[in-house]
């Protein structure tokens, strides 16, 4: 599963980089049937998802990835499940929060989009 | 998505209860194409997965679920992605470890089996 881990890393690196730079630019990574569950709140569709991400009350935000695991999610296509754990840094380092995020990525035209996105902060 | 959350809760309640009672009895929940990534180690197939779970060096183990989120994972079948975060209690309470686990569940004959299982402990 070397290839799938490389693809997953490439995707998440890009995703979190765009997230830090300008969350609105994540729109091309979602589709109208995409789903986001963010701290138990549910959103469906590119517009609703981007609106939620853009509304998060952080001016500076960085995902520091601690672990990332990927698996093929189907036998008949190149979809994959990615589980990320890490720290969310908002503002200065003292505000680091643990997070877990699961992505279900779907292949399309040689690239991938996000079908499922489940995000949780682990306070503690 | 009320139904899907109820199904996901029923599944994970059962899964963790069997896990605590006798991990070998989880075998019917996996298939030969099922995958487990446990702390970065990869296993495929019921036998390899159950062998790994049975070999964990804990005589007493309990999953205390803190959050559980579920989403439909396809438009053409009742598969779902479940993201669980919680604490793993091994032995006494002082050994609680945070964990994150993502399941990709597939429908089969009115029930579900685990297609993908990604498990991570968050030390710290």
């Amino acid at each position: 599963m070397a290839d799938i881990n490389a693809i997953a890393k490439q995707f998440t690196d890009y995703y979190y980089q765009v997230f830090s730079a300008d969350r609105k630019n994540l729109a091309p990574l979602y589709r109208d049937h995409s789903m986001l569950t963010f701290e138990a709140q549910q959103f469906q569709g590119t517009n609703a998802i981007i609106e939620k991400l853009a509304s998060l009350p952080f001016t500076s935000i960085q995902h520091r990835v601690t672990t990332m695991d990927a698996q093929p999610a189907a036998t008949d296509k190149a979809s994959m499940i990615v589980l990320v754990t890490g720290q969310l840094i908002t503002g200065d380092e003292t505000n680091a929060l643990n997070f877990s995020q699961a992505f279900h990525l779907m292949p399309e035209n040689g690239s991938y989009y996000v079908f499922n996105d489940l995000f949780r902060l682990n306070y503690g």
Side-chain angles (χ1 to χ4, degrees), chain A:
Chain A
M1 292 194 246
D3 281 347
I4 204 173
N5 282 318
I7 294 168
K9 183 175 187 320
Q10 192 174 24
F11 185 92
T12 53
D13 281 354
Y14 178 73
Y15 183 95
Y16 293 132
Q17 178 202 312
V18 175
F19 201 107
S20 292
D22 186 348
R23 285 164 254 165
K24 290 193 196 72
N25 292 338
L26 291 171
L29 299 182
Y30 292 94
R31 297 291 177 274
D32 284 344
H33 53 268
S34 299
M35 286 164 271
L36 166 68
T37 304
F38 188 94
E39 287 288 280
Q41 292 180 284
Q42 299 177 340
F43 305 90
Q44 182 155 19
T46 308
N47 290 348
I49 290 169
I50 295 302
E51 195 175 318
K52 171 60 185 176
L53 296 180
S55 77
L56 294 173
F58 308 116
T59 48
S60 161
I61 196 162
Q62 194 194 334
H63 296 73
R64 185 182 295 157
V65 173
T66 308
T67 68
M68 200 205 59
D69 300 297
Q71 289 180 0
T75 52
D76 60 348
K77 59 173 181 275
S79 60
M80 66 179 80
I81 309 285
V82 184
L83 176 63
V84 181
T85 71
Q87 289 195 306
L88 196 71
I89 319 286
T90 58
D92 64 52
E93 293 279 326
T94 58
N95 291 326
L97 294 167
N98 292 328
F99 76 90
S100 301
Q101 188 164 21
F103 292 105
H104 184 199
L105 304 181
M106 290 286 182
E108 190 186 75
N109 300 328
S111 186
Y112 284 84
Y113 71 89
V114 180
F115 191 100
N116 300 98
D117 181 351
L118 301 99
F119 183 91
R120 274 285 180 179
L121 291 170
N122 299 311
Y123 300 97

